[in-house]
Amino acid sequence: MAHAIVSFLLDQLKSIPQDQVKEKWRLVTGLEQEVETLTKNLRAIQAVLEDAEQRQMKLDKAVTCQKNCLSRWSTPSLVGKENKRRMEDEEPQSRSCKCLKKK
């Protein structure tokens, strides 16, 4: 009977380190998968942010161009009669805006 108890206890002691090793292995492999998933998500976020930045730059250029157009078109109404006549005599294309032309 004592032999059976000692054998049982030895088996239990052997299984404790194996269980701990198995658990740690599960944690490590689970961590690897989590890091991989996180990396994929961060790369996707980075791509979206880069795209948004490019779109913002295009939008900023368009806004600047349109502000310049408005400035050119409103200038004749703000200048004296002499300059206004001179500007009206200019060809309309010289006051046209590149950003409003169809591509």
Side-chain angles (χ1 to χ4, degrees), residues 15-27:
S15 68
I16 290 174
Q18 288 177 356
D19 290 342
Q20 289 176 351
V21 168
K22 286 179 184 177
E23 181 62 26
K24 287 181 183 182
W25 178 253
R26 276 189 235 127
L27 289 174

Side-chain angles (χ1 to χ4, degrees), residues 12-68:
Q12 292 298 315
L13 288 174
K14 286 180 187 176
S15 68
I16 290 174
Q18 288 177 356
D19 290 342
Q20 289 176 351
V21 168
K22 286 179 184 177
E23 181 62 26
K24 287 181 183 182
W25 178 253
R26 276 189 235 127
L27 289 174
V28 169
T29 56
L31 181 63
E32 285 177 9
Q33 290 172 354
E34 289 293 323
V35 168
E36 196 173 311
T37 302
L38 184 59
T39 302
K40 287 179 184 178
N41 289 340
L42 289 174
R43 285 188 179 138
I45 291 169
Q46 184 179 26
V48 169
L49 290 175
E50 287 173 0
D51 181 56
E53 186 177 4
Q54 289 175 355
R55 289 174 185 248
Q56 183 65 45
M57 288 171 41
K58 287 180 183 178
L59 183 60
D60 289 344
K61 286 180 183 179
V63 168
T64 301
C65 184
Q66 290 178 357
K67 282 182 181 179
N68 291 339

Side-chain angles (χ1 to χ4, degrees), residues 49-98:
L49 290 175
E50 287 173 0
D51 181 56
E53 186 177 4
Q54 289 175 355
R55 289 174 185 248
Q56 183 65 45
M57 288 171 41
K58 287 180 183 178
L59 183 60
D60 289 344
K61 286 180 183 179
V63 168
T64 301
C65 184
Q66 290 178 357
K67 282 182 181 179
N68 291 339
C69 289
L70 290 173
S71 176
R72 269 190 226 125
W73 292 340
S74 64
T75 301
S77 65
L78 299 175
V79 297
K81 290 181 183 178
E82 238 0 86
N83 289 333
K84 186 175 181 180
R85 280 192 201 120
R86 184 175 50 80
M87 291 181 81
E88 287 173 349
D89 290 341
E90 290 178 0
E91 291 184 36
Q93 289 134 351
S94 66
R95 289 188 286 158
S96 67
C97 292
K98 294 175 188 174

